[in-house]
Amino acid sequence: MAPTVDAVADEYLGKVKVGKLNTDDNPGTASRYQIRGIPTLLLFKGGQVVDQRVGALPKPELLKMLEPHVVKVS
């Protein structure tokens, strides 16, 4: 997933913030968001989780998850 997430981060630079977290190094955060499988993708908007997917996603599926939440600038 890392190359896909990195590619999306580059494409959406300035539109979204992308972060990665190692759950082994951050078990409290993993517990807080009830992460049970790796990889887990969490999409936050306004500080709240608005979408969550468990398992590797191909780039088109990740974009489908992201697009409804990205503000379009004309």
Side-chain angles (χ1 to χ4, degrees):
M1 279 300 314
T4 302
V5 170
D6 292 342
V8 170
D10 289 342
E11 280 182 42
Y12 285 80
L13 188 63
K15 295 178 186 173
V16 299
K17 292 182 183 179
V18 176
K20 295 184 266 185
L21 178 84
N22 182 322
T23 56
D24 290 332
D25 295 339
N26 300 280
T29 302
S31 177
R32 178 180 178 188
Y33 292 103
Q34 300 176 355
I35 295 171
R36 305 272 185 255
I38 305 299
T40 294
L41 301 165
L42 300 175
L43 181 62
F44 291 84
K45 189 170 186 177
Q48 301 296 315
V49 176
V50 294
D51 202 348
Q52 179 174 340
R53 307 287 168 87
V54 179
L57 296 177
K59 186 176 176 186
E61 289 298 314
L62 179 54
L63 294 176
K64 225 190 282 187
M65 176 185 173
L66 181 62
E67 274 299 317
H69 303 284
V70 176
V71 176
K72 306 275 191 259
V73 179
S74 301

